Amino acid sequence: MDLIMIVVGALMLLTVTERSRGHDYGDALSKSILFFEAQRSGKLPPTQRVTWRKDSAVHDGDQFQEGVSHLYRKVDLVGGYYDAGDNVKFNFPMAFSTSMLAWSVIQFGSSMGAERKHALEAIRWGAEYLMKATSVPGYVVVQVGDPYSDHNCWQRPEDMDTSRTFYAVSKEYPGSEVSAEIAAALAASSIVFKRYQLAYSARLLRRARMVFEFADKYRGSYNDGLGHWVCPFYCDYSGYQDELVWGAAWLFKATKNSYYRKYIDENIHNLKTFAEFGWDSKDAGINVLLSTLMINNSSNSNADKFICSVLPESPSLSVSYSPGGLMFKQGGSNLQHATAFSFLFLVYADYLNKVNRQVDCGGKASTISPTRLIQFARSQVDYILGSNPLKMSYMVGYGEKYPKRIHHRASSLPSIDMQRGHIDCKGGSSYFQSQNPNPNVLLGALVGGPDINDQYADSRSDFVHSEPTTYINAPFVGALAYFKSHSSSKPN
């Protein structure tokens, strides 16, 4: 990149942080965790705080895909999370969201204060469902619901009458990426609960090991066996090798068993990139996690490369920035990148401080201090919370100005408390087309975010920008927890 553009990019980020008038990170943290309660599927507990949501999908597990009926005459698949504004349970992004919630608590739980209790509840809600999804040896449930019929309706989850068929992978039709991600989520969750509920933690870990063994023994992508049902919704574009190493890394962290360390050493060369992290690609997260575990020296180098690919002053910059300072990568729901990368920057900054090391990006960038990583993360967090050209928070319910017409069925339709009659598949179309604000405020939800010119239409139909997802929120929980305890640090 031209040196002038690098300098402009650096000044742009500094301008954004200087515009910040301070944010209530504690309030944002509370709301960000609360969002997960609104995404719950199944029988809601008495402690449910989002009261406009009611029980839904309480018979999940009754309708099975062809080929597994001999095992799944009836299985309990009630629970889990709806991934976004629809009513399907996609286990690939759900497991990643659970992994990230767990990592957030492991890394920054001591900064959460009273909200740690709610974070634990959010992790457990996901983990309990993933235990159900892996309850039959040799099979892993990867999805509940027909995405085509679901996406053809605008219907409350409490009313849905679309197919709730569930789909599973097996040794004949493997799905290593989903299975290994579930193993990672269960292993990370076991670490979280080890200090609170030892027996439950041990149960999670046993299942994690079993599912990982299945993922590794029967290698293959779920795209091949279930492609029609999982693509293009959560098709695996990066291959399953990254999830296998990711799962092994979390199992090593949970067990310290040398088997998993050897597995990592023998398979890490299969990673395709160092600069991606999200529900599909785990590469950058693997390298940051392994660095904190002090194993595999190549991870430090690749984690450094990741940092240098993101910072605007780096000569190896590979992302873009809006004029207002928000980082952009290709693909929809851009805030998923900003939140996930910010979380990794904070974790890596913590590691660098512990080992008294800096990152060398070469060129005019010179060495990059841990403080610079924290400044970058704060610039993205503050932008999302309202320090941007529109002075708009992209977290629903936070600040004075935030998205009001988000792409979310339950939020946009009147709750059962407001309208008790059944709303059928097309019965909600008028609410989708309406220009009125959503009647139910989905507190804490992060939408896809503005475009690369810092503009936001606040349109329900513009789902790329207006739809919230669990995997945008999950890493943001950790970042907010960090800044809740470090809010006095001055941005450069």
Side-chain angles (χ1 to χ4, degrees):
M1 174 174 282
D2 187 271
L3 179 59
I4 294 176
M5 290 302 294
I6 294 172
V7 173
V8 169
L11 291 174
M12 170 192 71
L13 272 183
L14 301 184
T15 300
V16 171
T17 52
E18 285 168 1
R19 265 207 307 266
S20 172
R21 290 188 170 89
H23 291 286
D24 188 341
Y25 300 114
D27 179 53
L29 173 64
S30 299
K31 289 181 168 69
S32 188
I33 297 172
L34 184 65
F35 162 72
F36 286 90
E37 292 193 19
Q39 294 302 108
R40 284 172 171 172
S41 178
K43 179 74 175 175
L44 302 182
T47 56
Q48 174 80 7
R49 295 176 294 166
V50 182
T51 56
W52 52 266
R53 279 296 326 282
K54 308 298 180 185
D55 298 346
S56 62
V58 294
H59 298 292
D60 278 358
D62 289 358
Q63 294 177 285
F64 41 78
Q65 74 185 81
E66 184 178 352
V68 297
S69 59
H70 63 291
L71 280 176
Y72 285 107
R73 301 224 175 256
K74 187 173 182 181
V75 62
D76 179 7
L77 291 174
V78 176
Y81 291 108
Y82 303 118
D83 73 300
D86 53 28
N87 300 324
V88 181
K89 294 191 300 202
F90 295 101
N91 292 7
F92 196 14
M94 190 197 305
F96 173 71
S97 298
T98 305
S99 299
M100 292 307 298
L101 284 171
W103 197 0
S104 294
V105 171
I106 292 166
Q107 193 75 32
F108 302 121
S110 61
S111 299
M112 291 181 177
E115 290 305 317
R116 176 154 53 178
K117 171 180 177 290
H118 298 303
L120 294 177
E121 291 170 353
I123 295 166
R124 183 157 191 156
W125 193 267
E128 284 290 286
Y129 168 78
L130 295 176
M131 290 287 281
K132 293 179 178 182
T134 56
S135 60
V136 178
Y139 289 83
V140 172
V141 175
V142 300
Q143 184 172 307
V144 180
D146 173 2
Y148 297 98
S149 61
D150 179 89
H151 286 63
N152 191 45
C153 295
W154 198 259
Q155 195 173 23
R156 298 181 298 202
E158 294 83 359
D159 287 334
M160 60 178 158
D161 41 28
T162 54
S163 170
R164 298 302 291 174
T165 301
F166 68 86
Y167 304 88
V169 296
S170 63
K171 63 181 180 180
E172 290 86 7
Y173 299 99
S176 295
E177 63 278 270
V178 190
S179 303
E181 181 60 67
I182 291 175
L186 294 175
S189 299
S190 77
I191 298 172
V192 170
F193 286 103
K194 191 172 184 178
R195 65 179 291 188
Y196 303 104
Q197 296 169 297
L198 195 58
Y200 180 60
S201 170
R203 190 159 65 91
L204 292 172
L205 186 55
R206 283 195 300 271
R207 183 64 58 80
R209 298 177 82 148
M210 183 190 80
V211 176
F212 179 79
E213 182 181 357
F214 168 80
D216 184 46
K217 185 176 182 179
Y218 304 107
R219 293 192 177 193
S221 173
Y222 84 152
N223 292 358
D224 297 329
L226 295 173
H228 174 70
W229 303 107
V230 302
C231 297
F233 310 100
Y234 288 102
C235 197
D236 177 21
Y237 298 100
S238 67
Y240 58 80
Q241 298 286 355
D242 55 323
E243 276 81 25
L244 288 173
V245 178
W246 173 248
W250 277 109
L251 279 163
F252 178 75
K253 184 173 177 64
T255 66
K256 301 299 186 290
N257 189 313
S258 61
Y259 169 81
Y260 297 109
R261 176 165 184 165
K262 182 180 178 183
Y263 186 97
I264 293 164
D265 290 338
E266 292 176 350
N267 289 275
I268 196 166
H269 67 277
N270 292 322
L271 300 187
K272 295 179 179 179
T273 180
F274 56 82
E276 300 290 338
F277 187 58
W279 62 263
D280 183 21
S281 176
K282 310 304 183 304
D283 301 66
I286 290 168
N287 290 316
V288 169
L289 177 60
L290 293 182
S291 296
T292 67
L293 296 174
M294 309 291 186
I295 65 172
N296 197 287
N297 291 333
S298 65
S299 295
N300 284 344
S301 173
N302 284 325
D304 284 3
K305 288 179 182 177
F306 162 64
I307 298 299
C308 296
S309 74
V310 176
L311 290 176
E313 65 267 32
S314 169
S316 54
L317 175 67
S318 65
V319 302
S320 302
Y321 285 89
S322 72
L326 181 65
M327 71 151 266
F328 270 79
K329 286 182 68 67
Q330 287 187 339
S333 301
N334 180 67
L335 286 193
Q336 68 178 302
H337 306 302
T339 61
F341 282 29
S342 294
F343 176 82
L344 290 186
F345 266 57
L346 292 171
V347 173
Y348 203 55
D350 191 42
Y351 158 75
L352 293 174
N353 275 321
K354 287 179 179 176
V355 298
N356 193 28
R357 193 168 76 77
Q358 296 188 332
V359 175
D360 185 0
C361 289
K364 300 293 184 180
S366 188
T367 54
I368 305 297
S369 70
T371 300
R372 178 68 185 102
L373 272 62
I374 295 168
Q375 290 167 350
F376 166 82
R378 182 170 172 179
S379 74
Q380 300 303 293
V381 169
D382 284 358
Y383 183 107
I384 292 169
L385 293 180
S387 297
N388 55 61
L390 295 183
K391 295 182 171 56
M392 181 176 200
S393 163
Y394 293 101
M395 174 182 282
V396 175
Y398 177 87
E400 296 179 0
K401 182 182 179 184
Y402 53 83
K404 302 291 178 65
R405 288 170 284 276
I406 66 173
H407 184 96
H408 192 277
R409 288 158 177 75
S411 172
S412 67
L413 290 160
S415 69
I416 287 180
D417 290 333
M418 297 171 61
Q419 182 175 324
R420 292 192 176 276
H422 180 82
I423 298 176
D424 62 21
C425 173
K426 296 300 183 181
S429 299
S430 61
Y431 296 97
F432 173 77
Q433 296 162 0
S434 169
Q435 294 304 304
N436 294 329
N438 288 9
N440 307 306
V441 179
L442 192 64
L443 288 174
L446 292 180
V447 296
D451 63 24
I452 198 166
N453 296 310
D454 299 307
Q455 298 303 303
Y456 183 76
D458 198 13
S459 168
R460 209 170 282 120
S461 61
D462 184 11
F463 65 90
V464 171
H465 299 103
S466 65
E467 186 171 18
T469 72
T470 56
Y471 48 88
I472 298 177
N473 266 71
F476 205 54
V477 168
L480 291 170
Y482 175 88
F483 287 116
K484 177 179 178 290
S485 292
H486 299 82
S487 58
S488 60
S489 57
K490 301 291 185 184
N492 242 11

